[in-house]
Each structure stands twice: as structure tokens, then as C-alpha cells.
Amino acid sequence: ETGLFSDLRTLIPAALLIMIATIAVFLKSLRAIPIPLITTGVSILWTLGCMAVTEIPLTLLTAMVPARIIVSGSPEDVHMITAYLEGLSPEDRENRDTVKRRLAVEHMARRVGLPILITSLTTAFGCVANTVSDIPLIREFAVASAFAMVANLIVTVLALPLQLTLFGPNISRLN
């Protein structure tokens, strides 16, 4: 067990640091950094809660699920934030910041809504495919991972637009 928890203490911070660095470097927005951290954190909490309720033990495989959520779930956040930033009009000086952000969220939903849904569900169904395994360790990992991907989709689709509308960046530095 000490190796398991040692791995958790290494994997999760490493995945988070890579995610933060990626957002800061490529999206050029410090205000965007907390948004995927919030959605990822909520998804991890939901998944660990589901594992506790369904009595899925913390094993070598299931211990990797939080890192998997960060690695597999945060790209949806990044794609959505990128589309949001593309939707911010630099010429729009008439609208208040909240209106600009709302219009950018609408652009984001039209641009990446369906692709995000399809890729997230495809990943979840891929995890579900492993639930037929005769090996309990793999089956538990598959159930936890499938739930994690669906939970991350729900949290991202519901929380990310709200976060962007309330306190998202007002200016895009992508161009």
C-alpha cells in the first residue's frame, strides 16, 4: 500500500502541473487555469464517492483513475476554453463583459458541443467494454473509469460554461 499511495502523491500533482502549464502556455490566460481544476476536482470527488458507494476498492488500477480523469478529462475543458476564447470578439467594445462572455459561451457551445459529447461518450463506452472481463481488478477499473468519464462530461458541460460566463477571461490572447 505504501507504493500505491506514493504513486498517487506523484501521479496526481504531476498530471495537474502538466495541465496547468499547458493551459498557461498555449491558451495564454491565467484566468482560465482554475476552471479545469474545478471541473476535474468535482469529477474526481464524484468518482471516488461512486467507488465508495459501490464498494470498489482502491487497488493499483483504480488508484490511477484520478490521474486518468485529469489526463482524459481536461482536454475537453481545454477545447471548450479555446473555442470560448475564439468567440471573444476583440472589436466588441459596446457590450459589457458579462454579455461578451455569454456570447463567447454560445460560440463555444455551437463550435465544440457535439464533438465534446461524442468523444467523451466514446471514451466512456471504451471503458465499459472492459467490464466483461473475468478479472475483477480490470472490471473494477473499467466501471470506475466509465463512471469517471461520464461524470467528467456532466460536470464539464454544466459547470464550465457557467464558470466562463461568471468569471471567464474577457480578452483572448490566442491571436
Side-chain angles (χ1 to χ4, degrees):
E1 271 191 29
T2 57
L4 173 70
F5 293 111
S6 173
D7 285 350
L8 282 175
R9 282 190 292 273
T10 304
L11 277 175
I12 293 175
L16 286 172
L17 284 174
I18 290 168
M19 180 179 71
I20 291 168
T22 301
I23 292 168
V25 170
F26 292 109
L27 297 184
K28 301 173 186 153
S29 174
L30 294 177
R31 287 181 78 176
I33 290 173
I35 294 170
L37 294 175
I38 293 168
T39 57
T40 299
V42 172
S43 299
I44 290 170
L45 285 175
W46 283 14
T47 301
L48 294 176
C50 173
M51 288 172 60
V53 168
T54 57
E55 298 180 357
I56 294 176
L58 196 58
T59 63
L60 287 174
L61 279 179
T62 59
M64 294 188 321
V65 172
R68 180 185 170 110
I69 293 170
I70 297 167
V71 172
S72 299
S74 62
E76 283 90 1
D77 293 0
V78 171
H79 288 300
M80 291 175 76
I81 293 169
T82 301
Y84 167 84
L85 291 171
E86 289 171 351
L88 288 172
S89 175
E91 301 87 32
D92 187 1
R93 306 234 185 267
E94 297 173 15
N95 286 323
R96 292 187 340 262
D97 288 342
T98 53
V99 174
K100 286 171 62 172
R101 289 194 299 257
R102 186 182 52 78
L103 292 171
V105 166
E106 289 173 6
H107 169 82
M108 173 196 72
R110 283 191 306 275
R111 176 102 193 267
V112 297
L114 184 60
I116 294 295
L117 178 69
I118 292 169
T119 57
S120 296
L121 291 178
T122 302
T123 303
F125 288 140
C127 296
V128 168
N130 288 318
T131 60
V132 298
S133 174
D134 291 333
I135 303 168
L137 199 65
I138 293 175
R139 195 171 44 247
E140 292 163 349
F141 176 71
V143 169
S145 292
F147 178 85
M149 294 301 102
V150 172
N152 188 70
L153 172 64
I154 292 168
V155 171
T156 298
V157 167
L158 295 178
L160 192 130
L162 177 64
Q163 293 174 74
L164 288 171
T165 301
L166 293 176
F167 52 85
N170 298 322
I171 300 169
S172 174
R173 292 182 177 83
L174 290 181
N175 300 329

